[in-house]
Amino acid sequence: MEVEASTVKTFGRGDFFHHLLAVKYSIKENVLISTASFKTTQSEEIFAAAQKLMPGGVSSPVRAFKSVGGQPIVFDRVKGAYVWDVDGNQYIDYVGSWGPAICGHAHPEVIAALHDALEKGTSFGAPSVLENVLAEMVIDGVPSVEMVRFVNSGTEACMSVLRLMRAFTGRDKIIKFEGCYHGHADMFLVKAGSGVATLGLPDSPGVPKTTTNNTLTAPYNDLEAVKALFANNPNQIAGVILEPVVGNAGFIPPDAGFLEGLRMLTQEHRALLVFDEVMTGFRIAYGGAQEKFGVTPDLTTLGKVIGGGLPVGAYGGRKDIMSMVAPAGPMYQAGTLSGNPLAMTAGIKTLELLQKPGTYDQLNRITKKLADGLLQIAQETGHAAYGGQISAMFGLFFTGEPVHNYEDAKKSDLAKFSQFHRGMLERGVYLAPSQFEAGFTSLAHTDEDIDRTLEAAREVMSSL
Ligand SMILES: *Cc1c(COP(=O)(O)O)cnc(C)c1O
């Protein structure tokens, strides 16, 4: 890409933006085959400038590559299974904007629908029929959802569902699991301490202890720990919230009986069961992990895929519980841009594409090929590894021990993962820049993409 250094330095005064628009179509695509053609000069310059303008140079921390070290890649554009950076390098993408791009980036049908919607305006702040359409799709698709409220992010969905859990039960305490992420609202920013009944200690400065001491934590896949928390806090626990398949501690599926056990325990203690399906919704199956595992929670949070790449979150569930939400009921929750027509349009089109027959078989097949291939290559090249996939979500830990929870995940060889990540990047494969993130595939990924990825993985793992 022919951007001069002097042009890049005008960043922040608007010129750079116009310049990028002007050169958008002149970028020479550099399909990386060997590391020799990998260039990062533009990424480096833009990121250096960004660090002076925004904390850490990013709008969300993991993008800064802190946990793998090295230079983050500055994106220019995305399409299908691929992303291009500002130096013109092309990558096969396994992040998918952290989940939304399940049909492939910038799907032509989604873009066309957005063009049409754009003509009608960008924000209404009033009811629109688009909300009915997406609401109906979510209610039809997700077993637990009888009524839904749209918000703008997964964080907002989880924050609101927590208020609802407390409003409905009149209890303040909640149980979450170590390594599960439910957005950055204060009450969820709790890292589990040692010991089962540890009271929540804030994970970040600025979060008062008084906010998190109602957040109880247990290790994932540990029903006994949850039982103990219920026993020690009688009639005080509003509910249990979890990622039904963990993606935010790396990919960790639920053990047989875990979800069923939580369903029984919560019913026994008249507490609510909440699946945070912001990541797994419409990805593990159309109806999310709850469809896949046949366990129906009381409430569900959604995000990522239902926005089709625009900012959308949602929470929904049993009608009697959802009827507490204002203005139907007394629990306040609102949003200026909630139900935004562009966001609803992208979501509707994305779900329509996912409803086509064979979609999830294809996602599962391609992802299994990748996950199995990575494990086999690790084995053949002498690296201890553990991983797997369900549908379009996969993971690979550099540890020989099975991973059932966050403690197990932390036994991974993080230095090795960092080298692996860098090696793959230099060969045109964009993986999530942390051992503790799941990987995502899309309908745009082809067998050839997977073959190329595995070829790169063999080369990198052989050199580690
Ligand atoms: C991404 C994610 C969130 C937060 O969603 P944002 O849109 O980033 O606020 C919450 N829960 C889970 C399980 C997630 O994966």
Side-chain angles (χ1 to χ4, degrees):
M1 178 182 154
E2 319 302 330
V3 179
E4 287 167 23
S6 60
T7 318
V8 173
K9 292 206 179 75
T10 61
F11 183 94
R13 295 199 297 271
D15 302 351
F16 181 61
F17 175 68
H18 293 296
H19 182 74
L20 261 191
L21 285 184
V23 297
K24 195 161 73 171
Y25 298 108
S26 74
I27 287 175
K28 295 191 195 83
E29 289 171 17
N30 177 21
V31 179
L32 296 167
I33 297 156
S34 74
T35 58
S37 54
F38 183 64
K39 289 190 302 286
T40 57
T41 5
Q42 298 300 336
S43 274
E44 277 162 44
E45 258 186 87
I46 294 168
F47 191 64
Q51 283 173 292
K52 293 185 193 127
L53 301 165
M54 296 168 284
V58 289
S59 300
S60 193
V62 72
R63 300 178 194 173
F65 276 33
K66 287 265 186 202
S67 57
V68 287
Q71 171 68 38
I73 296 307
V74 176
F75 281 20
D76 178 65
R77 67 201 168 92
V78 295
K79 185 79 187 166
Y82 309 117
V83 304
W84 286 264
D85 69 16
V86 286
D87 288 283
N89 301 309
Q90 179 185 349
Y91 306 86
I92 304 169
D93 179 28
Y94 293 104
V95 180
S97 189
W98 301 96
I102 193 164
C103 297
H105 289 290
H107 192 286
E109 287 185 41
V110 177
I111 299 289
L114 281 172
H115 272 294
D116 291 347
L118 196 52
E119 292 297 322
K120 293 177 149 191
T122 57
S123 179
F124 297 165
S128 86
V129 72
L130 296 167
E131 293 164 278
N132 293 21
V133 175
L134 189 58
E136 218 160 18
M137 291 175 101
V138 171
I139 290 165
D140 285 348
V142 184
S144 67
V145 179
E146 296 172 357
M147 249 186 187
V148 65
R149 165 62 58 86
F150 292 114
V151 293
N152 303 287
S153 70
T155 292
E156 240 188 284
C158 293
M159 192 176 84
S160 309
V161 94
L162 174 57
R163 185 177 303 145
L164 182 55
M165 288 162 79
R166 289 170 165 169
F168 185 77
T169 59
R171 301 170 178 178
D172 284 343
K173 292 183 181 174
I174 59 146
I175 297 175
K176 79 175 279 291
F177 294 92
E178 228 176 295
C180 280
Y181 181 64
H182 305 295
H184 65 80
D186 283 1
M187 307 71 73
F188 292 121
L189 283 187
V190 180
K191 180 162 56 189
S194 56
V196 165
T198 310
L199 283 181
L201 288 174
D203 218 8
S204 161
V207 177
K209 175 100 176 54
T210 48
T211 308
T212 55
N213 58 16
N214 283 318
T215 308
L216 311 174
T217 56
Y220 196 75
N221 276 325
D222 189 342
L223 272 183
E224 290 307 313
V226 179
K227 264 184 209 160
L229 288 174
F230 271 114
N232 294 333
N233 299 272
N235 303 318
Q236 293 170 59
I237 295 173
V240 176
I241 185 167
L242 77 156
E243 293 178 64
V245 175
V246 182
N248 286 291
F251 170 78
I252 308 176
D255 290 346
F258 180 58
L259 300 177
E260 292 84 349
L262 291 177
R263 183 62 284 184
M264 275 166 54
L265 271 176
T266 44
Q267 264 158 358
E268 201 177 300
H269 293 275
R270 285 177 294 115
L272 299 174
L273 180 62
V274 184
F275 281 4
D276 177 356
E277 299 230 39
V278 169
M279 185 183 284
T280 53
F282 303 100
R283 177 167 289 278
I284 287 295
Y286 187 78
Q290 52 197 273
E291 177 193 310
K292 164 90 185 162
F293 293 98
V295 175
T296 307
D298 301 296
L299 294 166
T300 298
T301 55
L302 294 162
K304 297 185 171 128
V305 171
I306 57 157
L310 274 86
V312 182
Y315 62 103
R318 273 166 43 193
K319 205 174 234 167
D320 60 326
I321 308 176
M322 289 304 291
S323 300
M324 285 211 76
V325 178
M331 191 212 86
Y332 191 71
Q333 187 273 310
T336 300
L337 289 170
S338 296
N340 174 274
L342 292 180
M344 295 294 106
T345 298
I348 292 164
K349 199 31 108 175
T350 299
L351 296 197
E352 270 176 22
L353 290 167
L354 289 171
Q355 283 173 2
K356 291 188 178 164
T359 299
Y360 288 87
D361 290 341
Q362 162 66 7
L363 287 169
N364 192 58
R365 188 186 65 77
I366 210 94
T367 316
K368 183 163 173 32
K369 176 173 170 169
L370 175 67
D372 288 355
L374 288 172
L375 273 180
Q376 193 185 338
I377 290 165
Q379 195 182 13
E380 285 169 17
T381 52
H383 298 290
Y386 185 85
Q389 59 71 231
I390 301 175
S391 182
M393 191 169 160
F394 69 93
L396 181 80
F397 294 106
F398 282 112
T399 171
E401 305 289 313
V403 177
H404 295 284
N405 57 40
Y406 188 41
E407 280 305 307
D408 296 339
K410 283 197 285 193
K411 290 177 193 148
S412 301
D413 187 336
L414 300 184
K416 190 181 275 183
F417 177 81
S418 297
Q419 287 177 294
F420 177 65
H421 181 269
R422 197 74 206 170
M424 294 299 274
L425 193 71
E426 290 176 354
R427 285 165 183 79
V429 179
Y430 194 82
L431 299 171
S434 165
Q435 174 75 91
F436 303 111
E437 299 286 354
F440 300 129
T441 49
S442 78
L443 288 171
H445 286 77
T446 61
D447 280 285
E448 198 197 337
D449 292 325
I450 305 296
D451 292 339
R452 246 179 72 205
T453 303
L454 293 175
E455 203 179 303
R458 184 175 295 280
E459 225 179 277
V460 177
M461 287 200 205
S462 303
S463 71
L464 293 180

